[in-house]
Amino acid sequence: MWWFLIISLLTLLYYIWQKLGSLGKKYPLCLPHLPILGSLPYMNSSDQAHIYFTKLQEKYGHIYAFWLGPWYAVVVNQFSLAKEVLLKKGKDFASRPRMVSTDILSGSGKGIAFSEYGPQWRMYRKLVQSTFSLFKDRSSQNFEKIICQEANFLCKALSSTQGQSVDPALDCFLASANVICQFCFSSSWKRKDKDIEVMMHFNDVIIQSVARDSLIDIFPWIQLFPNKELTQLKESVKLRNKMMEEKIKIQKEKFNIDSVNNLLDALLKAKINNSHLTQEPEITDEHILMTVSDIFGAGVETTSSVVKWCIAYLLHYPQVKEKIQEEIDQKIGFTRTPVLSDRNQLLLLESTIREVLRIRPVAPLLIPHLACTDSSIGEYTIPKGTRIYINLWSIHHDPEEWDEPEKFKPERFLDKNKEQLITPSASYFPFGCGPRTCIGEFLARAELFLFMAWILQRFDLEVADDGELPSLEGEFGVVYQIIPFKAKFKQRKGWREAQLSASSQ
Ligand code: PLO
């Protein structure tokens, strides 16, 4: 009897304390929720998460909350609110939630992409940033040179298909993998290396299961029971780590502290320099592995995915492809290959890439953020520990900001006279913004431009023999991947003739 009274009293006091604490505070509208399960029973939609979150706005407004099991989460669907989260109060929201899947991938929060905000994350990010400068303009190993070399291999591989229907995935993957591999390890893969296909496969498994709110990320105790998805994720991460460790081992043997040539060298040097400092964040072999793997994974999966989306859209809109080719013919012709400075000339290609990044953002919900302190968004209170989902998809498809947002219209990124690139709405940040903004944006933009310019200078893209156009509905994951498709890459007449006349001279 007594214990019953005491518990009731304590519950009442707790309730009153909570109510008092929230007096005068306003919270975002919340989806209905039950104890333990949270809002999950009310969220059974067949739509992909970003589309479902976009639709929920109609009922709950641009910002709303839900309970992901025991986790309180807020979805932000509007540009001005997202800017507040990412930029204005960037530091308040710069952390990441610890999840079972991301912990498996990142060795319990090491590396850059999935690690908590703090001095350790900052140090690794800075190390990567400073390594980028080793690959700038004047250096003998500059990015432009590396990308053009890979674009050349990519075009050679496509021409060897002799216009037959092929899936370009492996060649796009290899090209992006080799650019980032030279940045990380000063090495590259050959097309026939078996590792490439293995890597493509395990990356797909990882992308489909990491940070996408599967049950293990909501109820961590589920991992105590046999779980197929979890086993597959663990196996894939093991394979990935093994492959990266092999690369690290080979490169370590060549390491010379006086000649830092790539990201791994920079990390190894920092490890030696930091070893006698007690205040600096730790640099261990596992931290190095996770940092390099993050950069490698981010570099390869994002670029190759966008190149495939570009090809797919150009198959759907052949008139856009023709116009880009006309521009290439006029501004470059067939006597030389495209270079980065052509970006100011090939405006249609640039605007097409921008439009693809708008209509099919690489990461439609970014990577979830975490409030590391009590804060607010707009007029709403956001308690410390809230998971924040930025719905980039709805921001890029906001009808208040974009004219006919569902339509593919590259010309929206050009001024009236089609002479200048413009950003028609501020509701656009394909690479995120603020403290967690994409670290490799300039590299990604350079790769996308050069790969596409090289391909379109040489090839006509045609629909595969079965007449099937690629699906424009992707697969939801931490990267919004296109469903595998086939296309024909036929050498353009002008290019062929230019080659013939060059070889006869
Ligand atoms: C891709 C698969 C790799 O095996 C591991 C990996 C590491 C970093 C991730 C990347 C994956 C997907 C794209 C991510 C990147 C960090 C930043 C980038 C999420 C999962 C984006 C788009 O935010």
Side-chain angles (χ1 to χ4, degrees):
M1 184 64 188
W2 276 110
W3 60 265
F4 178 75
L5 273 177
I6 290 171
I7 289 182
S8 309
L9 194 70
L10 283 177
T11 315
L12 188 72
L13 282 176
Y14 178 71
Y15 183 75
I16 295 173
W17 178 67
Q18 285 241 313
K19 277 278 162 214
L20 283 177
S22 60
L23 269 188
K25 288 182 182 167
K26 200 171 163 189
Y27 293 94
L29 214 57
C30 189
L31 264 71
H33 48 100
L34 298 173
I36 302 173
L37 295 176
S39 311
L40 293 179
Y42 304 94
M43 297 179 81
N44 43 4
S45 157
S46 58
D47 286 323
Q48 295 175 333
H50 55 279
I51 295 178
Y52 179 56
F53 285 162
T54 305
K55 287 183 183 166
L56 280 180
Q57 284 183 96
E58 283 168 28
K59 196 164 166 200
Y60 293 93
H62 294 312
I63 173 169
Y64 51 83
F66 66 100
W67 284 86
L68 196 59
W71 315 102
Y72 181 63
V74 165
V75 185
V76 175
N77 291 284
Q78 195 192 36
F79 148 73
S80 57
L81 297 171
K83 205 169 129 191
E84 197 177 331
V85 174
L86 299 175
L87 219 55
K88 207 167 135 206
K89 297 182 182 153
K91 283 188 183 162
D92 291 2
F93 298 106
S95 208
R96 299 281 191 221
R98 292 284 295 265
M99 291 187 257
V100 172
S101 66
T102 54
D103 267 4
I104 292 172
L105 182 63
S106 64
S108 306
K110 299 186 184 71
I112 300 181
F114 304 101
S115 53
E116 284 167 15
Y117 182 66
Q120 190 157 299
W121 164 81
R122 201 172 296 113
M123 181 190 73
Y124 286 107
R125 198 175 152 101
K126 273 197 184 144
L127 277 167
V128 177
Q129 254 153 354
S130 57
T131 311
F132 276 132
S133 58
L134 294 179
F135 292 77
K136 285 265 161 73
D137 318 332
R138 281 169 206 281
S139 111
S140 61
Q141 49 167 8
N142 79 59
F143 273 130
E144 182 170 24
K145 223 159 121 186
I146 295 175
I147 302 169
C148 286
Q149 195 181 17
E150 292 309 321
N152 190 26
F153 289 137
L154 170 63
C155 288
K156 280 196 174 138
L158 292 177
S159 61
S160 73
T161 64
Q162 298 183 328
Q164 285 167 358
S165 308
V166 286
D167 180 349
L170 191 132
D171 293 308
C172 295
F173 185 92
L174 182 65
S176 339
N178 276 345
V179 173
I180 203 71
C181 198
Q182 298 194 47
F183 172 73
C184 292
F185 308 111
S186 305
S187 69
S188 56
W189 274 283
K190 298 261 174 334
R191 197 177 187 278
K192 55 181 188 298
D193 280 344
K194 288 269 174 317
D195 279 1
I196 295 295
E197 270 168 76
V198 178
M199 197 163 27
M200 273 177 79
H201 177 69
F202 67 61
N203 271 0
D204 281 349
V205 175
I206 294 175
I207 287 171
Q208 288 309 313
S209 44
V210 120
R212 58 171 299 179
D213 301 322
S214 353
L215 284 179
I216 46 154
D217 284 338
I218 306 176
F219 306 111
W221 46 264
I222 284 189
Q223 54 182 319
L224 300 174
F225 302 97
N227 179 323
K228 194 172 155 218
E229 196 187 332
L230 190 64
T231 316
Q232 278 180 343
L233 174 64
K234 282 184 179 164
E235 274 168 12
S236 295
V237 172
K238 221 175 178 178
L239 267 176
R240 193 238 9 207
N241 291 352
K242 197 170 147 240
M243 203 173 271
M244 290 289 132
E245 273 161 357
E246 273 164 22
K247 283 261 165 210
I248 292 176
K249 194 170 155 240
I250 298 172
Q251 181 57 31
K252 240 182 180 173
E253 281 159 16
K254 299 185 207 149
F255 174 64
N256 168 1
I257 195 161
D258 297 321
S259 150
V260 168
N261 292 315
N262 53 48
L263 178 61
L264 182 64
D265 285 351
L267 290 166
L268 292 173
K269 183 174 175 179
K271 184 182 173 195
I272 294 171
N273 290 345
N274 276 26
S275 55
H276 54 277
L277 304 172
T278 43
Q279 249 116 338
E280 290 296 309
E282 245 191 331
I283 304 188
T284 62
D285 285 348
E286 203 185 358
H287 279 107
I288 294 182
L289 169 70
M290 292 307 163
T291 304
V292 177
S293 305
D294 266 0
I295 297 302
F296 192 83
V300 63
E301 279 306 327
T302 49
T303 313
S304 60
S305 167
V306 182
V307 170
K308 286 183 284 177
W309 277 114
C310 285
I311 296 174
Y313 268 98
L314 294 180
L315 288 168
H316 277 261
Y317 296 85
Q319 67 284 15
V320 175
K321 184 216 70 179
E322 271 154 34
K323 280 197 196 145
I324 298 176
Q325 286 178 326
E326 268 168 34
E327 204 176 47
I328 296 179
D329 296 352
Q330 262 177 27
K331 305 275 163 61
I332 303 182
F334 294 108
T335 50
R336 68 167 179 90
T337 47
V339 287
L340 267 187
S341 54
D342 293 322
R343 267 200 282 194
N344 310 324
Q345 303 276 320
L346 304 185
L347 300 187
L348 247 170
L349 176 56
E350 262 297 300
S351 58
T352 301
I353 294 170
R354 290 185 188 194
E355 177 69 342
V356 170
L357 289 169
R358 179 194 71 83
I359 202 161
R360 291 294 176 266
V362 172
L365 294 178
L366 302 182
I367 305 178
H369 284 247
L370 184 85
C372 23
T373 166
D374 287 335
S375 186
S376 62
I377 308 175
E379 53 186 325
Y380 301 108
T381 300
I382 306 291
K384 181 179 174 180
T386 306
R387 286 187 188 185
I388 316 278
Y389 293 86
I390 303 289
N391 192 353
L392 191 58
W393 182 276
S394 66
I395 289 168
H396 280 186
H397 289 81
D398 184 350
E400 309 252 312
E401 295 284 338
W402 301 95
D403 172 38
E404 299 186 297
E406 298 311 322
K407 289 210 173 136
F408 179 71
K409 295 204 292 192
E411 64 282 5
R412 67 170 96 236
F413 284 95
L414 291 173
D415 69 352
K416 256 197 229 131
N417 303 327
K418 305 207 162 103
E419 282 167 357
Q420 237 175 353
L421 286 160
I422 54 163
T423 308
S425 160
S427 189
Y428 180 69
F429 40 94
F431 294 89
C433 59
R436 288 277 184 171
T437 190
C438 168
I439 207 169
E441 173 172 349
F442 79 95
L443 174 61
R445 287 195 190 275
E447 283 185 65
L448 293 174
F449 174 78
L450 286 171
F451 288 159
M452 288 314 297
W454 277 64
I455 293 176
L456 291 170
Q457 185 189 38
R458 290 186 198 194
F459 301 100
D460 267 325
L461 311 179
E462 284 178 23
V463 180
D465 284 330
D466 58 12
E468 259 194 60
L469 278 163
S471 163
L472 295 179
E473 195 180 305
E475 260 178 284
F476 178 74
V478 70
V479 173
Y480 193 57
Q481 290 179 309
I482 192 162
I483 294 167
F485 65 94
K486 285 189 176 172
K488 296 200 278 193
F489 297 84
K490 288 201 168 154
Q491 261 195 14
R492 295 180 66 205
K493 201 165 151 250
W495 173 260
R496 227 178 14 243
E497 284 168 1
Q499 295 306 295
L500 284 174
S501 79
S503 61
S504 65
Q505 272 167 18

